[in-house]
Amino acid sequence: MMTTQLTKKPIEVPERDTAVLRKDVPESTRLRLWAKAAGRCVLCAAYLLDATDWSWHSIPNGQIAHIVGAGSGAESPRGYSTLTADERAFEENLILLCYSCHKRIDDKAYRDQYTVEFLTAKKLLHEKRVREVTDFATLRPTSVVTVSAAIRGTRAPVSLPQVAEALRRDGYTGMGEDTRNGAFTIHLSGNDGDGWAWDAHRTEIDRFAARIAEAVAAGDVESLSIFALAPIPSLVYLGSKLDDKTETRLFARKRTDEVTAWAWTDGGDDALVFDTVIPTGDSTEVTVLVELSAPVKEERLPDHLRTLPRVTITPRDQPPRPDLTGNRAALESFALAWRDALARIENELPSARVLHLVAAVPAPAAITMGRHRMRAAQPTIVVYQLANDAYEAAMEVSE
């Protein structure tokens, strides 16, 4: 019998595919990403909830994007990495974006700009800020007061995002729009050159003061945070209407459009000192010059103010400048100097019944001057406003 030897054909073993392939993101990870980003795009802060589709239903429109690409193919954005497929689907490698930002970071034209390091840093910063601003256990509620008026013909509204950032940095949060204890908005009409405007400002401030007094008496307001851009006379009058027994925080606006425009500058010179010069005499009227942000020019004073005894408050060893009281410590130093000046006027000018106040000061200092006058005990204050290159009497604080 003849036998035939069969030759077996070798089995072909395919090469192992080492490419990283996309892994699905678990639903639990998606929920964590949405929560930690507060439903906003990490890059542009667009709100990703409550979008509307063609059927008029409210739907979320955010997208989960990969920082290191989901796969390692040549077309995968930022795909080259030692991360495994599973690791690429971890929360640390994912970021919540809107459609436009997702499209942009993956566009070949922009991949060099949106690096792994850049996207990771933006994700961590966004999530950190979300944790801070939603930490209501450490952000005390406060009633926000915004005051706006035309200054030299231009109205400067108070930006609410800037207010929110200033409060956050100080450890506070606004109480919302409740008319009883939330946001109080004061719009002072007219221009500071209109004679009728001062009466209108007084009426509006009095109305606000009555509302605040009612809310404080009812226990609805425990803290006030004031953001004001208005002429100095109106701010002094506003300060005179604030209850000195209610916690009140004043904020100053810097000359910038950044979100931190109303946030106080950290640090500063805690030892800011002011020189107060007070004459002696028995005059019933006294001129008071306060020079913080700029000098008061002699030629702009009305003739009758030049002949009166003159009290001056100026910074020691430095010229007046707009940012002189740019931090809370400096403002408090001025408040102490102002209270001391009023007390000394009582002692050294006992006949004084009217103080003619000409002040070049920032808004918080103007409010401070009105707030620290003792009602019914210290002289009436007539506050002057610069108009047509001369100071004119504008508002009276006498109650």
Side-chain angles (χ1 to χ4, degrees), residues 230-273:
I232 289 173
S234 302
L235 295 176
V236 175
Y237 187 77
L238 171 65
S240 73
K241 293 295 181 178
L242 296 175
D243 183 358
D244 58 6
K245 297 179 180 60
T246 301
E247 178 189 350
T248 302
R249 303 177 71 81
L250 306 178
F251 291 82
R253 193 186 192 285
K254 296 187 284 289
R255 294 178 180 271
T256 176
D257 291 327
E258 297 294 328
V259 72
T260 57
W262 284 93
W264 281 101
T265 302
D266 294 332
D269 186 359
D270 293 345
L272 187 61
V273 177

Side-chain angles (χ1 to χ4, degrees), residues 82-334:
T82 59
L83 293 182
T84 66
D86 287 332
E87 289 170 339
R88 295 176 189 228
F90 286 175
E91 178 183 326
E92 293 77 10
N93 189 52
L94 301 173
I95 187 171
L96 181 65
L97 299 176
C98 66
Y99 168 80
S100 297
C101 286
H102 192 177
K103 182 178 179 182
R104 185 178 180 87
I105 70 167
D106 287 353
D107 191 314
K108 291 182 179 179
Y110 301 106
R111 289 182 189 177
D112 290 342
Q113 300 176 27
Y114 293 99
T115 63
V116 170
E117 293 77 13
F118 177 88
L119 294 175
T120 300
K122 292 300 181 183
K123 166 188 166 75
L124 294 176
L125 176 62
H126 180 86
E127 292 178 353
K128 176 177 179 290
R129 288 176 59 84
V130 167
R131 289 195 304 272
E132 290 176 347
V133 300
T134 56
D135 186 4
F136 297 112
T138 58
L139 294 180
R140 292 180 55 202
T142 185
S143 298
V144 175
V145 180
T146 58
V147 184
S148 64
I151 302 175
R152 291 183 290 277
T154 302
R155 180 172 291 274
V158 179
S159 163
L160 294 184
Q162 292 173 347
V163 167
E165 178 64 13
L167 291 175
R168 183 189 70 81
R169 290 191 170 210
D170 264 25
Y172 285 79
T173 181
M175 295 178 66
E177 299 179 354
D178 187 286
T179 57
R180 179 82 171 191
N181 63 357
F184 297 87
T185 302
I186 307 175
H187 294 296
L188 302 178
S189 57
N191 295 310
D192 50 14
D194 300 329
W196 58 267
W198 303 117
D199 286 338
H201 289 194
R202 184 182 296 105
T203 299
E204 188 62 28
I205 292 171
D206 287 345
R207 184 180 297 117
F208 156 76
R211 289 175 56 201
I212 285 291
E214 180 182 353
V216 169
D220 295 327
V221 168
E222 296 181 358
S223 166
L224 292 175
S225 294
I226 299 180
F227 300 80
L229 289 172
I232 289 173
S234 302
L235 295 176
V236 175
Y237 187 77
L238 171 65
S240 73
K241 293 295 181 178
L242 296 175
D243 183 358
D244 58 6
K245 297 179 180 60
T246 301
E247 178 189 350
T248 302
R249 303 177 71 81
L250 306 178
F251 291 82
R253 193 186 192 285
K254 296 187 284 289
R255 294 178 180 271
T256 176
D257 291 327
E258 297 294 328
V259 72
T260 57
W262 284 93
W264 281 101
T265 302
D266 294 332
D269 186 359
D270 293 345
L272 187 61
V273 177
F274 294 89
D275 286 326
T276 302
V277 177
I278 299 182
T280 57
D282 59 358
S283 176
T284 59
E285 297 183 60
V286 177
T287 297
V288 180
L289 305 186
V290 182
E291 301 174 321
L292 301 188
S293 54
V296 175
K297 295 183 179 180
E298 180 78 17
E299 63 272 18
R300 290 176 170 174
L301 295 175
D303 291 340
H304 71 285
L305 294 194
R306 300 184 196 183
T307 63
L308 296 175
R310 182 176 302 183
V311 173
T312 61
I313 302 177
T314 56
R316 179 180 297 176
D317 299 330
Q318 55 185 307
R321 62 179 191 275
D323 63 344
L324 184 71
T325 54
N327 59 77
R328 288 195 182 279
L331 180 62
E332 182 57 29
S333 294
F334 169 70

